[in-house]
Amino acid sequence: AQSVTQLGSHVSVSEGALVLLRCNYSSSVPPYLFWYVQYPNQGLQLLLKYTSAATLVKGINGFEAEFKKSETSFHLTKPSAHMSDAAEYFCAVNNFGNEKLTFGTGTRLTIIP
Amino acid sequence: NAGVTQTPKFQVLKTGQSMTLQCAQDMNHEYMSWYRQDPGMGLRLIHYSVGAGITDQGEVPNGYNVSRSTTEDFPLRLLSAAPSQTSVYFCASWRRGDNQPQHFGDGTRLSIL
């Protein structure tokens, strides 16, 4: 079975500060990992994905995530928060050849002016 | 290019009524899926399809039916609505080889009274 745990359902950071959203995974085989962003009243957008190539993955809007097998983590970071980053962020996992994507419970990011 | 289109955007039903949530994509994607999103629970997979005529169950399929007669359309049917099915429903599509849902609709907000 595969699963992801997102630590912190709500995270607040000041504009210009580092954004760190945490995701830990559990998988019996090497996983594929993803981060999605959801703006109010919209569907999800894919931010970035890890599919066993480079462990540091760069995505859209200045976000990146690092796959750490030893820590079973895939944390999302951005060096400097913008007001437009306020949204809900979901970590997700599946395995190669598996169409069933498993989502975390989400982290709502608030940016303080 | 409309992407993934879901209709209706909002719907209120009475317990026991039936209805169909529509999902259409114009990108010729082989894979489509339905998720429900509930507060604090992330997105959970209801049903998915890997091509016309092929569907399979996800994590929470009970009370829902799907069919895939064409590549473009993937309707979700509620046979006898229950208050527990009050949720936001998202349809997603992706190409074979993408490993994950790439395009999401904007959702259908469904309330069952």
Side-chain angles (χ1 to χ4, degrees), chain A residues 17 22 26 29-30 38-40 57 66 68 70 87:
Chain A
R22 300 178 186 274
S26 172
V29 297
Q38 184 181 34
Y39 299 102
V57 181
E66 186 173 10
K68 292 187 176 181
S70 61

Side-chain angles (χ1 to χ4, degrees), chain B:
Chain B
N1 188 349
V4 177
T5 303
Q6 290 185 237
T7 56
K9 294 188 183 303
F10 303 93
Q11 184 71 48
V12 178
L13 292 178
K14 295 181 179 179
T15 298
Q17 287 184 316
S18 63
M19 81 160 294
T20 299
L21 280 62
Q22 301 291 344
C23 175
Q25 53 95 4
D26 60 359
M27 297 166 285
N28 203 32
H29 286 171
E30 296 91 347
Y31 291 13
M32 298 184 74
S33 58
W34 276 102
Y35 291 87
R36 60 177 290 173
Q37 183 178 24
D38 302 292
M41 301 188 73
L43 278 77
R44 293 180 291 168
L45 181 65
I46 305 172
H47 286 286
Y48 68 98
S49 169
V50 300
I54 306 170
T55 64
D56 204 350
Q57 296 181 352
E59 182 184 354
V60 288
N62 293 339
Y64 306 95
N65 275 0
V66 292
S67 60
R68 184 100 179 267
S69 57
T70 67
T71 298
E72 294 77 20
D73 299 301
F74 191 42
L76 179 71
R77 297 181 185 84
L78 280 71
L79 305 175
S80 178
S84 60
Q85 294 178 304
T86 293
S87 188
V88 182
Y89 291 85
F90 288 98
C91 180
S93 75
W94 67 106
R95 296 173 305 175
R96 193 187 313 276
D98 271 347
N99 300 309
Q100 76 293 324
Q102 188 74 27
H103 298 269
F104 281 78
D106 287 338
T108 293
R109 286 150 184 80
L110 183 62
S111 293
I112 315 296
L113 304 177

Side-chain angles (χ1 to χ4, degrees), chain A residues 93-106:
Chain A
V93 63
N94 71 0
N95 303 125
F96 175 76
N98 186 342
E99 296 79 20
K100 299 181 181 181
L101 197 64
T102 301
F103 285 86
T105 54

